[in-house]
Amino acid sequence: MKKEVLFIGAGISALTGAALLAKKGFKVTVVESQFKPGGSCGIFKRDDIIFEQGAAMIYGFGKIGFNPHRFVFNALEEPIDIIKHDYLYAIHFNGHKIIFYEDINKFVEQLGKIFPSEKDNFKRFYDDSADLYLKVIANQPTFTTPDVVTKEQGLMQLKSAPKAYLKFLGYMNKNTEHILKKYFKSKEVFDFFDKLTSTYCYTTVEETPAILSAVMFVDNHFGGSYYPAGSTLNLVGKLEKVIEENGGDMIYNRDVKKILVKDDKVYGVKLDNGEIINCERVVNSGNVWNLYNNLIDKSLCKKSREWANLLIPTYPSLVLFALVKDEVIPKDTLPIEMLIGDTEKIDEGEVTLYILSKDDYTLCPRGYQTVMAIGPSFKEWINPKGDYHTEKYFEQKQAEKNRILGLLEKRFPGFKNAATHVELSTPATLQRLVMKEKGAVAGPKQQLGQHMLKRLKTKGEIEGLYNCGESTVMGTGTPAVTVSGISAANLILRECKMQEYEAKYLTGDYVTIVKKPYTGKNLKLSPDETEDKIGKLSMKCQYCMSPKCEKACQKHVPIRDINRRLSVGNFYGARKILNQFDQNPCINCENTSCQEACIRNKFAESVNIKEINSNLVKK
C-alpha cells in the first residue's frame, strides 16, 4: 500500500505535522510503537485517578508572542478547552519562594527584594530582554524553524526591526553567561539563572546559547502557562482526531525497524512484523540516535552517524507519581513548583513538581492531590533492553523512590504518611516506553556547539526523509517540538507548491480559556445527545496497558482504543475501528465477559462497554 506521508512516532511533533498535512488533503499514516499517542505527553490512570506521565508544563497558548499551540489549533479549526494558571510557576531558591508572575514588572520587583544589590540590574536586564522579544518574536510571529525559513521570510523579519533582529542573531554563538555578565556581578544571581536554564533546557548558563535564553527568560511572562482541561489526553487526542477525520491512519503497537531507501530516495518503511509500507516521504520524530543507529542502513549516512553518536544527551530523569491527601499540601502551593537542592550546581535534589489537580478537579477526588515529581538521576541504570526485572534493579528503584519521597517530605511535612499511591518511572522505563535514550527526556542537550542549526535538520540528507521532534533545530519543550512539526508540514507543502500554514491566513479562534478550578461540569463532547452520553461513559475507562476486557471479548473488539477516542470526542475514529467489523459486534452480543473482566470492577462499576459500542452506529 502506498501513502503520501508516513510519520514515525506519535509524539506531539509528529501528531502536529500529520494533522496539518491531513487537513490539507494529504494521505497520512502515523506509526507508533506504543498503544496510544502523545509520546512523553499523555496520561495513565490508577483507580480513576489521572496522572500526567511527562510533559505537562504547557506554554504557547497565549494570544501574543510565541504561541505555536494556539496557532496549530486555529489552523486545524479544532476547538480545545484550556486552563490558564494564575502564575507561571514557583522556584524555591535559598529559602525564598520566587513566584513567576505573568506581570514581568511585578516579577522584577520581587527579584529586587531578594537580590537588593542587583535590583536596578534586574530591571535593566528584563526591560532590554522584553524589548528584544517584542520586536523580534511577537512583532512578526513565525512558527518555522530557522533551517526552513525562506529568504523572503527572513528579510521580512529583518525589515520589521533591523537593529533588534541583528542583535538577536548576534546571540547565536554566545552563551547566556556572556550576556548576563553585562548586567550582573553577584554569583548568587548567576546561580539563580542556572536554575532557570536548567528548568527550560537542562543546561547551565555557561552551556545555554544566548539566543535561546533571550526568548525563554521573558516569553512565558507574555504568553502565560496553561494546562489542557481534563488532562493532556485532550491535547494529543484532538490532534489524533483531526488526523483520522481527514482520512489519516493511526497504526499502534508497531515499531518501524527500517527506513527503506533505493537510489538515494526513500520508498517506504519496514515494520517489526515484516510489513512494508510504501511511501515517498517519511517524517522521523524519534531521537537522532535511533535514526542513524537503527532506522537508516549502516551503509548510508556514515558521517552523520558519527556526528550523532558524539552528541551529548540531556541528563537521565526519574519521574515519581503520587496521590496524596490534600491536608499536607499548603493552600498557597502552585500547580508547578521547582525545588532546589544545591544552588551552585545541578544535582539530584533539583525536582520539579506538578500538582495540576490544584486547577483541574477532574484529575482526582476532592480531598486529594495528584503529584508528579521529575528530576535528574546521575546513577547508572540497567539497560532496558536487558532483564530489568532483576532484584538489583528493584532495589535501586526503591531506593530512588524513597529519596524523592524524602525531598517531598521536606517541602510538605507529613507527605509520606499522607500518600495513598506512589510509583516511579526510571530512566530505563522512559527508554523502554517512550524512546527516551537512556532516560534523556529532551534528547541532545541544547548546549552551545550542538544547538539550533547544529542539531538535526528538518530536511534529511536522503531524498524524501524529514525530521521533527526534540532532536531537531528547536528541540526541548512542547512549544518547540510543536514548531518542529509545523516546520516539517510546511516544508512538504512548499515542495508540493501548496500554501503553507501562516498566521496571516488564520481567522477563527478555537482556543477557549475555561474557569478555574475546572470541574468538567459543562463539558460537551458532542451536540448529539447519544454521542455525548457514550463519550462521557467512555471517560470511565482506565486505558489499561494490557486490557483484560479485550482479552475476554470473543469478537476481539479493541475496547480501550475506542474509549480513548470517544473520551476526547473523536467519534469518527472510534467508528472507524468498529467499522472494520462486518457489523457492529456489540449490538446483539449477549456475552458480558468483557464488562466482568473490566479492571474498574475492583473499585467501582465497570465501564458500560455494551452500551457505548452498541450506540456507536455507523454514520
Side-chain angles (χ1 to χ4, degrees):
M1 58 182 183
K2 191 173 184 179
K3 305 287 185 181
E4 285 198 66
V5 186
L6 182 141
F7 284 78
I8 300 175
I12 288 181
S13 64
L15 291 172
T16 297
L20 291 170
L21 289 176
K23 184 77 172 176
K24 289 282 190 179
F26 279 74
K27 182 61 178 172
V28 167
T29 299
V30 180
V31 181
E32 167 58 46
S33 61
Q34 295 301 312
F35 65 89
K36 59 183 178 180
S40 60
C41 183
I43 66 165
F44 65 90
K45 286 188 177 184
R46 296 289 186 263
D47 295 356
D48 277 354
I49 311 303
I50 297 174
F51 291 100
E52 288 295 339
Q53 64 193 30
M57 188 182 282
I58 309 294
Y59 301 114
F61 271 109
K63 288 192 174 183
I64 63 170
F66 187 59
N67 55 1
H69 286 130
R70 181 180 286 268
F71 172 84
V72 166
F73 279 89
N74 287 341
L76 296 174
E77 300 177 303
E78 178 63 33
I80 186 169
D81 290 340
I82 296 293
I83 298 168
K84 183 177 182 181
H85 300 307
D86 289 332
Y87 310 112
L88 307 178
Y89 64 99
I91 182 171
H92 294 262
F93 182 86
N94 260 0
H96 300 283
K97 181 181 178 181
I98 302 174
I99 297 174
F100 284 68
Y101 299 104
E102 187 172 345
D103 184 334
I104 200 166
N105 292 320
K106 189 175 181 180
F107 174 64
V108 169
E109 183 181 345
Q110 176 189 213
L111 293 179
K113 293 177 181 177
I114 296 170
F115 307 99
S117 66
E118 301 277 20
K119 179 180 179 180
D120 293 338
N121 295 330
F122 269 112
K123 183 171 184 355
R124 191 163 54 92
F125 173 74
Y126 275 98
D127 282 349
D128 290 350
S129 297
D131 180 69
L132 188 66
Y133 174 83
L134 290 171
K135 288 177 179 176
V136 175
I137 304 298
N139 186 41
Q140 291 285 340
T142 179
F143 303 104
T144 304
T145 51
D147 60 323
V148 177
V149 170
T150 64
K151 290 181 179 179
E152 291 77 13
Q153 290 170 329
L155 186 60
M156 185 174 65
Q157 290 176 323
L158 179 60
K159 285 181 176 180
S160 66
K163 288 184 179 179
Y165 199 72
L166 289 173
K167 180 181 179 181
F168 184 68
L169 291 178
Y171 287 171
M172 180 66 79
N173 294 312
K174 293 183 174 66
N175 67 8
T176 300
E177 185 180 49
H178 174 85
I179 304 301
L180 291 176
K181 282 181 177 178
K182 295 181 179 181
Y183 296 88
F184 305 104
K185 294 181 180 179
S186 167
K187 181 182 181 302
E188 192 178 22
V189 169
F190 281 84
D191 290 340
F192 168 71
F193 279 108
D194 259 343
K195 299 310 171 186
L196 301 198
T197 55
S198 170
T199 299
Y200 292 121
C201 50
Y202 305 90
T203 49
T204 64
V205 294
E206 185 179 5
E207 296 172 319
T208 309
I211 198 165
L212 293 181
S213 57
V215 175
M216 68 187 182
F217 284 154
V218 296
D219 171 64
N220 302 323
H221 293 282
F222 288 98
S225 176
Y226 302 87
Y227 181 66
S231 82
T232 57
L233 174 62
N234 289 294
L235 176 62
V236 299
K238 284 181 176 292
L239 293 172
E240 176 190 45
K241 174 176 179 281
V242 172
I243 293 168
E244 294 190 313
E245 285 180 344
N246 286 278
D249 292 323
M250 303 293 301
I251 299 176
Y252 291 106
N253 297 305
R254 289 271 74 93
D255 199 10
V256 173
K257 288 298 184 183
K258 286 293 177 186
I259 296 172
L260 303 176
V261 179
K262 185 177 181 181
D263 298 329
D264 296 322
K265 289 184 179 181
V266 167
Y267 71 89
V269 298
K270 184 176 182 180
L271 307 185
D272 54 358
N273 63 350
E275 181 185 359
I276 290 176
I277 302 179
N278 294 308
C279 55
E280 294 178 351
R281 292 181 173 89
V282 170
V283 184
N284 170 58
S285 73
N287 67 67
V288 64
W289 300 292
N290 186 54
L291 173 66
Y292 287 116
N293 292 328
N294 300 313
L295 295 179
I296 295 176
D297 190 88
K298 291 291 195 300
S299 65
L300 303 170
C301 309
K302 292 181 180 180
K303 287 185 178 180
S304 294
R305 184 173 298 107
E306 292 173 2
W307 161 78
N309 289 323
L310 291 174
L311 290 173
I312 300 169
T314 54
Y315 48 73
S317 293
L318 295 165
V319 191
L320 181 136
F321 309 96
L323 180 71
V324 64
K325 292 177 182 176
D326 184 68
E327 61 202 42
V328 300
I329 307 294
K331 298 297 181 185
D332 63 349
T333 304
L334 301 190
I336 304 171
E337 294 198 358
M338 184 178 180
L339 310 182
I340 301 299
D342 191 330
T343 59
E344 297 185 0
K345 64 179 181 180
I346 298 174
D347 74 340
E348 291 183 335
E350 190 170 302
V351 175
T352 302
L353 308 180
Y354 297 87
I355 313 176
L356 299 160
S357 51
K358 296 280 292 185
D359 279 348
D360 192 330
Y361 284 3
T362 68
L363 304 184
C364 65
R366 293 300 85 221
Y368 293 86
Q369 299 285 356
T370 59
V371 178
M372 176 178 74
I374 181 168
S377 172
F378 299 129
K379 298 175 176 62
E380 286 293 324
W381 284 87
I382 192 168
N383 185 339
K385 294 180 181 178
D387 184 7
Y388 50 87
H389 292 294
T390 62
E391 184 177 347
K392 181 180 178 182
Y393 173 77
F394 283 110
E395 285 177 357
Q396 186 178 11
K397 186 172 181 176
Q398 186 62 44
E400 288 299 275
K401 183 192 293 186
N402 291 335
R403 180 181 66 79
I404 296 178
L405 283 172
L407 295 173
L408 295 177
E409 183 76 20
K410 289 180 181 178
R411 171 68 180 97
F412 307 114
F415 189 96
K416 290 181 182 179
N417 290 334
T420 59
H421 177 86
V422 179
E423 60 184 284
L424 184 77
S425 286
T426 70
T429 313
L430 295 173
Q431 179 164 335
R432 182 167 52 91
L433 295 182
V434 289
M435 290 288 288
K436 299 299 183 184
E437 189 81 6
K438 297 181 180 178
V441 294
K445 262 189 178 185
Q446 275 277 13
Q447 67 179 42
L448 208 63
Q450 57 179 50
H451 69 297
M452 300 296 282
L453 295 173
K454 297 178 181 179
R455 295 167 77 83
L456 194 61
K457 305 295 191 300
T458 306
K459 179 76 171 177
E461 62 261 64
I462 299 170
E463 185 63 32
L465 175 63
Y466 307 82
N467 298 292
C468 61
E470 64 196 17
S471 292
T472 56
V473 173
M474 295 290 287
T476 316
T478 56
V481 296
T482 293
V483 170
S484 76
I486 298 169
S487 294
N490 273 345
L491 182 57
I492 291 171
L493 289 170
R494 186 183 304 167
E495 292 177 349
C496 293
K497 302 188 185 308
M498 295 174 66
Q499 183 176 290
E500 299 176 37
Y501 286 98
E502 296 181 54
K504 65 183 179 182
Y505 297 126
L506 307 186
T507 55
D509 192 355
Y510 292 82
V511 176
T512 300
I513 305 299
V514 298
K515 291 182 179 179
K516 298 185 303 296
Y518 176 72
T519 62
K521 182 179 179 181
N522 299 317
L523 175 66
K524 195 77 173 175
L525 290 172
S526 171
D528 181 283
E529 288 187 12
T530 301
E531 285 187 345
D532 189 58
K533 181 181 178 181
I534 63 174
K536 288 172 181 174
L537 286 174
S538 71
M539 294 172 74
K540 294 181 179 180
C541 182
Q542 304 300 291
Y543 318 123
C544 304
M545 183 176 287
S546 181
K548 293 182 178 180
C549 59
E550 293 184 7
K551 293 178 181 178
C553 175
Q554 295 177 348
K555 303 291 180 66
H556 306 293
V557 175
I559 298 165
R560 173 198 60 202
D561 300 342
I562 291 172
N563 285 335
R564 179 176 56 72
R565 286 169 169 84
L566 292 176
S567 296
V568 299
N570 183 6
F571 298 95
Y572 179 91
R575 287 192 179 94
K576 183 178 179 180
I577 293 174
L578 272 185
N579 289 347
Q580 294 173 2
F581 298 86
D582 291 335
Q583 58 183 10
N584 190 320
C586 300
I587 290 179
N588 298 313
C589 181
E590 299 297 328
N591 197 314
T592 60
S593 57
C594 61
Q595 290 188 189
E596 291 169 4
C598 177
I599 193 173
R600 205 167 182 272
N601 282 316
K602 293 182 178 179
F603 59 90
E605 291 182 345
S606 69
V607 178
N608 198 329
I609 299 167
K610 182 176 180 180
E611 181 176 359
I612 292 169
N613 289 352
S614 61
N615 278 290
L616 194 61
V617 294
K618 291 185 178 182
K619 279 196 175 183

